[in-house]
Amino acid sequence: MNITVGLTDVLLASPLIVLFLFSLIPLTIKTLRGNSEQNPAATIVIALIGLGLTAGLLLVFGGSDKTAFNNQLLFDGLTQWSSLLAIIASAGALVMMYENPATRGKQFSELIFLALNSVLGMIILVAAVNLITVFIGLELMSLSLYLMIAMSHEQKISKEAAMKYFVLGSFASAIFLYGVSFVFGSSGSVNITDFMQSAATLVKTNKLFLFGIVFVILGFCFKVSIAPFHAWAPDVYQGAPTPVTSFMATAVKAVSFAAFLRVIATQTLVGSQNLFDVMQWLAVITMTVGNVAAIMQNNFKRMLAYSSVAHSGYLLVGLITSGISQNSAYSASSVMFYLFAYSIMTLGAFAVVSLIERSENAVVNTDDLAGFAKNQPALAMCLTIFMLSLAGIPPALGFFGKFYLFSAAVNEGLLWLALWGVLNSVISVYYYLRPIVVMYMKDGEADVADHSLHATTVTVYVCAFIIILVGLFSGPLFDLVEKSLG
């Protein structure tokens, strides 16, 4: 296959090029300084400028519905929104990396290089319509992430987390690639746009194609921690440095679901009732397992990890709805809106954890929050907003995210799935209220760490402000997303 590269291709790919070039700047400066680390503030400013320029270019070229490099990358509304969400979440995580004791140090330039290249992989992942290119984006994102976790200054748990994630992630990638080989062998193409019109028929008539699609779906289920492929998430979330955990829980989850959505939108679920039924039960099991397990956790990061599993179950409901809907714009928009809401809530919650951690070996349990409301009333209020929003209490953003997600399911006749979602939301209220009760009702000495944490504090306030503001005016934003995905 001959791929000709023209000016249009370069312009469309300019966000990727700019981001990669900016990722090289901190490493180049460090090399020129004789392997001496420059001021971390300068490194983080360079990274944020790079992310800002990438976001600006995505706004200009992202929603054009044009393809680049012989239909390898598609720059449509889904690419634009999910990439911008990944950039926003990544910017918040980078700010936390600058101030967290587990990530700020001698190898900060290398860490920022890996983080920016992970974001580069994310944008490739969501823009790719060729399953091989999807794999390349997935691996660039994941390999950078394995190294970021292992680079923590904490010496034991983070190394264990990196190894678990690497081994299980490699296994999931192999399953994904195995599925892609069957898709190619049975359909003659690995381009999603090529078999989009015929996928439902192929699933019904060609068992090899069905086998391949199932394995591709299984690969994604691991990446987005769908039960029973979620076992890595609690250990990795707990063991990774808190800023990296927030990076994984927000940006990585958002783009993985966006890429998953692109595959599911081929209407493969319409062609196989068995696959459709299995996906529904996976959503129910994931919601229930995540919420029930979260109730039993005292470690705050581990609780948020199981919470993340439960939210993956909610989002899978939206994906299933998109996979059978004739008007997939509404369903896809509900998924993207929920990803935005979840990312902001989770980023804020992890930012509060990062503020409390005093060293790279610090462990924050729910009981350790006693007295936080007395010592830090503003931050305690912000954490309360995050918890209530994650639980889906109105008028916070999380409530409207669930409302759009479950109403889309009801519109497609998936009433029982929506009821399971509502039931699980009620269950989740228990463990989301527990930190609030501890902060306000128990005496203790919980406070932020002694070192300067101004940027992370600003991140917390900004996230809380967005949750309330967008929650109150969610309609116009949802309409805007739906229009761009239509």
Side-chain angles (χ1 to χ4, degrees):
M1 181 175 65
N2 294 321
I3 297 179
T4 55
V5 179
L7 180 61
T8 306
D9 297 315
V10 175
L11 287 174
L12 287 170
S14 58
L16 304 172
I17 298 167
V18 167
L19 189 58
F20 178 68
L21 291 176
F22 267 86
S23 75
L24 294 175
I25 294 174
L27 279 185
T28 306
I29 293 172
K30 186 172 181 177
T31 305
L32 294 174
R33 286 167 57 92
N35 204 33
S36 173
E37 194 74 52
Q38 69 167 337
N39 188 332
T43 303
I44 208 72
V45 167
I46 290 168
L48 292 175
I49 291 172
L51 288 174
L53 285 174
T54 304
L57 290 168
L58 279 165
L59 285 170
V60 174
F61 300 114
S64 59
D65 283 342
K66 292 181 179 176
T67 58
F69 308 113
N70 264 32
N71 298 326
Q72 300 297 305
L73 301 174
L74 172 63
F75 291 88
D76 59 356
L78 182 64
T79 302
Q80 186 180 50
W81 282 104
S82 49
S83 298
L84 289 172
L85 176 55
I87 287 170
I88 292 167
S90 302
L94 288 177
V95 166
M96 290 159 61
M97 288 177 198
Y98 165 64
E99 294 183 334
N100 192 280
T103 49
R104 180 175 176 169
K106 292 180 181 178
Q107 294 180 307
F108 191 66
S109 295
E110 287 88 338
L111 183 70
I112 297 304
F113 168 78
L114 290 169
L116 292 182
N117 275 277
S118 187
V119 178
L120 178 64
M122 293 176 199
I123 299 174
I124 294 172
L125 174 63
V126 294
V129 286
N130 184 302
L131 290 175
I132 299 298
T133 315
V134 169
F135 178 75
I136 292 169
L138 203 60
E139 288 308 291
L140 178 57
M141 175 184 78
S142 300
L143 289 170
S144 301
L145 207 52
Y146 304 148
L147 289 169
M148 288 168 68
I149 297 168
M151 282 174 65
S152 170
H153 300 154
E154 194 278 326
Q155 290 301 313
K156 187 178 178 183
I157 302 176
S158 63
K159 309 302 180 280
E160 178 189 336
M163 184 55 69
K164 280 182 180 177
Y165 196 25
F166 171 67
V167 172
L168 293 171
S170 301
F171 184 63
S173 297
I175 289 174
F176 178 87
L177 208 53
Y178 190 52
V180 171
S181 68
F182 275 90
V183 169
F184 178 72
S186 56
S187 69
S189 174
V190 287
N191 197 299
I192 296 169
T193 52
D194 287 347
F195 59 74
M196 180 174 275
Q197 304 302 323
S198 57
T201 307
L202 280 169
V203 165
K204 196 179 294 183
T205 58
N206 193 319
K207 297 299 180 189
L208 288 179
F209 184 81
L210 174 61
F211 185 83
I213 282 293
V214 167
F215 269 57
V216 168
I217 289 172
L218 286 179
F220 275 117
C221 283
F222 172 87
K223 293 295 179 185
V224 297
S225 57
I226 299 294
F229 313 102
H230 70 291
W232 61 272
D235 292 339
V236 174
Y237 277 40
Q238 182 183 348
T242 300
V244 180
T245 305
S246 73
F247 185 69
M248 292 165 56
T250 55
V252 173
K253 185 182 278 284
V255 295
S256 299
F257 262 110
F260 198 179
L261 177 63
R262 209 182 277 285
V263 172
I264 291 290
T266 57
Q267 303 275 309
T268 50
L269 298 183
V270 175
S272 172
Q273 184 63 41
N274 290 335
L275 181 58
F276 177 54
D277 292 340
V278 168
M279 291 291 284
Q280 290 184 81
W281 279 110
L282 283 179
V284 171
I285 292 167
T286 304
M287 286 185 272
T288 309
V289 167
N291 283 318
V292 171
I295 290 173
M296 298 182 281
Q297 306 304 317
N298 189 36
N299 183 290
F300 198 70
K301 283 170 71 175
R302 202 171 180 86
M303 182 270 281
L304 287 174
Y306 278 112
S307 158
S308 173
V309 172
H311 285 277
S312 292
Y314 303 142
L315 283 159
L316 189 55
V317 173
L319 255 64
I320 293 166
T321 309
S322 299
I324 63 168
S325 175
Q326 295 303 313
N327 176 28
S328 58
Y330 183 83
S331 307
S333 302
S334 70
V335 172
M336 286 309 303
F337 187 86
Y338 195 84
L339 282 170
F340 171 74
Y342 169 78
S343 297
I344 299 299
M345 299 182 289
T346 307
L347 182 68
F350 278 116
V352 174
V353 176
S354 186
L355 286 171
I356 297 171
E357 290 178 336
R358 297 179 181 275
S359 71
E360 62 268 22
N361 296 304
V363 176
V364 178
N365 293 321
T366 304
D367 294 335
D368 297 333
L369 295 171
F372 194 61
K374 177 184 165 187
N375 296 322
Q376 297 289 338
L379 289 173
M381 177 56 69
C382 290
L383 184 57
T384 302
I385 291 170
F386 301 142
M387 293 294 106
L388 293 177
S389 187
L390 282 164
I393 306 294
L397 183 57
F399 167 78
F400 292 100
K402 286 181 179 175
F403 173 78
Y404 289 125
L405 207 60
F406 297 150
S407 64
V410 170
N411 290 342
E412 292 301 322
L414 300 176
L415 182 62
W416 83 285
L417 265 186
L419 287 174
W420 271 105
V422 172
L423 178 64
N424 272 280
S425 296
V426 173
I427 295 171
S428 71
V429 170
Y430 174 81
Y431 65 84
Y432 286 130
L433 286 181
R434 193 169 157 229
I436 300 171
V437 171
V438 172
M439 281 192 302
Y440 286 94
M441 304 294 184
K442 292 186 179 180
D443 293 328
E445 302 301 322
D447 206 342
V448 297
D450 299 329
H451 47 275
S452 176
L453 294 162
H454 304 306
T456 308
T457 305
V458 170
T459 303
V460 173
Y461 292 147
V462 169
C463 289
F465 178 73
I466 290 173
I467 286 169
I468 297 300
L469 183 69
V470 180
L472 293 172
F473 301 99
S474 59
L477 177 62
F478 184 84
D479 292 340
L480 186 65
V481 175
E482 187 178 12
K483 186 178 178 183
S484 65
L485 295 181

